[in-house]
């Protein structure tokens, strides 16, 4: 019996919405940890949106109308901040499928190092999304899993490229805001 794999389109569609995020980040080199909470909003954006076309231009690629573009906006409060200051930002991700389960992700800025980047992704047999990004000095690996329809879990690891040492790990639990589904 062959299990039906989740396609990248299905995974993204399940991710659309508003989420409350609880994250614990461990910076191993400094033996420090940070806890943060965030409100995350994930939505589709049109492939012809000026932010999307700019990312294609920055990557020196022509516009691909088969791509899947999403915006991820967040507002976060960290226990590293003394004044409980809210920090927010937005990342644009453009998924360029090679097939229904794998491909490349273009970003307007990196997760670990803040410059435009691209990543490889695939959806595995357990329907987890894996994203791997190589930067100048590090590699970031992330796994996103649906534990139920309205609960996601994200694990990420950042490694030093020079010696493959683990620099940082994090775990995030994300709970969908069900009230946002009624809007």
């Amino acid at each position: 019996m062959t299990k039906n794999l989740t396609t990248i389109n299905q995974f993204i569609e399940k991710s659309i919405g508003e989420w409350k995020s609880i994250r614990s980040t461990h910076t191993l080199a400094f033996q420090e940890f940070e806890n943060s909470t965030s409100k995350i909003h994930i939505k589709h954006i049109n492939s012809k949106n000026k932010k999307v076309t700019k990312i294609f231009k920055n990557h020196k690629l022509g516009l691909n109308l088969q791509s899947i573009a999403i915006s991820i906006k967040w507002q976060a409060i960290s226990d590293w901040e003394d004044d409980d200051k809210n920090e927010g930002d937005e990342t644009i991700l453009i998924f360029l499928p090679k097939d229904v389960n794998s491909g490349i992700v273009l970003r307007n800025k990196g997760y670990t190092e803040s410059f435009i980047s691209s990543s490889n992704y695939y959806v595995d047999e357990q329907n987890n999304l894996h994203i791997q990004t190589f930067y100048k000095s590090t590699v970031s690996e992330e796994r996103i899993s649906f534990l139920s329809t309205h609960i996601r879990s994200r694990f990420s690891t950042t490694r030093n490229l020079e010696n493959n040492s683990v620099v940082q790990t994090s775990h995030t639990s994300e709970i969908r805001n069900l009230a946002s589904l009624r809007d």
Side-chain angles (χ1 to χ4, degrees):
M1 184 167 94
T2 305
K3 182 177 178 181
N4 291 333
L5 294 177
T6 297
T7 67
I8 191 60
N9 290 11
Q10 292 168 327
F11 194 95
I12 291 170
E13 199 57 46
K14 285 173 60 175
S15 299
I16 299 299
E18 187 177 297
W19 300 83
K20 178 174 182 175
S21 167
I22 304 164
R23 180 178 179 154
S24 179
T25 302
H26 302 244
T27 305
L28 303 176
F30 301 112
Q31 297 183 13
E32 296 179 342
F33 65 91
E34 172 190 16
N35 291 313
S36 61
T37 58
S38 302
K39 186 181 287 188
I40 301 170
H41 192 230
I42 304 172
K43 68 178 185 174
H44 286 286
I45 55 177
N46 189 299
S47 294
K48 295 180 182 178
N49 179 293
K50 66 181 179 180
K51 293 178 183 177
V52 173
T53 57
K54 182 178 179 182
I55 293 169
F56 276 107
K57 183 178 177 183
N58 288 341
H59 284 276
K60 297 178 177 39
L61 295 171
L63 181 63
N64 180 335
L65 297 178
Q66 303 303 313
S67 63
I68 307 158
I70 61 172
S71 163
I72 303 174
K73 291 184 181 181
W74 66 92
Q75 284 294 124
I77 299 174
S78 168
D79 64 2
W80 273 8
E81 301 291 331
D82 292 332
D83 57 1
D84 285 339
K85 180 179 150 187
N86 278 350
E87 298 219 5
D89 206 348
E90 176 184 25
T91 296
I92 305 296
L93 302 179
I94 303 169
F95 290 82
L96 299 170
K98 291 179 187 171
D99 56 46
V100 296
N101 300 99
S102 66
I104 296 171
V105 181
L106 304 179
R107 302 168 183 248
N108 62 324
K109 65 181 118 191
Y111 170 75
T112 304
E113 298 178 30
S114 191
F115 57 87
I116 66 166
S117 63
S118 64
S119 309
N120 293 311
Y121 76 83
Y122 70 93
V123 179
D124 69 18
E125 296 80 20
Q126 289 78 39
N127 299 321
N128 302 304
L129 174 61
H130 296 261
I131 301 173
Q132 183 180 51
T133 310
F134 285 89
Y135 297 100
K136 291 177 184 172
S137 60
T138 60
V139 60
S140 171
E141 297 173 334
E142 185 171 17
R143 184 183 78 219
I144 306 169
S145 308
F146 277 91
L147 304 178
S148 71
T149 302
H150 304 296
I151 300 175
R152 294 183 354 152
S153 178
R154 290 190 295 133
F155 293 95
S156 66
T157 304
T158 304
R159 294 179 180 273
N160 180 308
L161 279 175
E162 187 176 316
N163 59 17
N164 202 33
S165 63
V166 176
V167 176
Q168 188 176 74
T169 63
S170 70
H171 174 258
T172 307
S173 296
E174 298 172 344
I175 304 162
R176 188 186 308 273
N177 178 352
L178 294 178
S180 70
L181 297 176
R182 292 184 275 257
D183 294 341

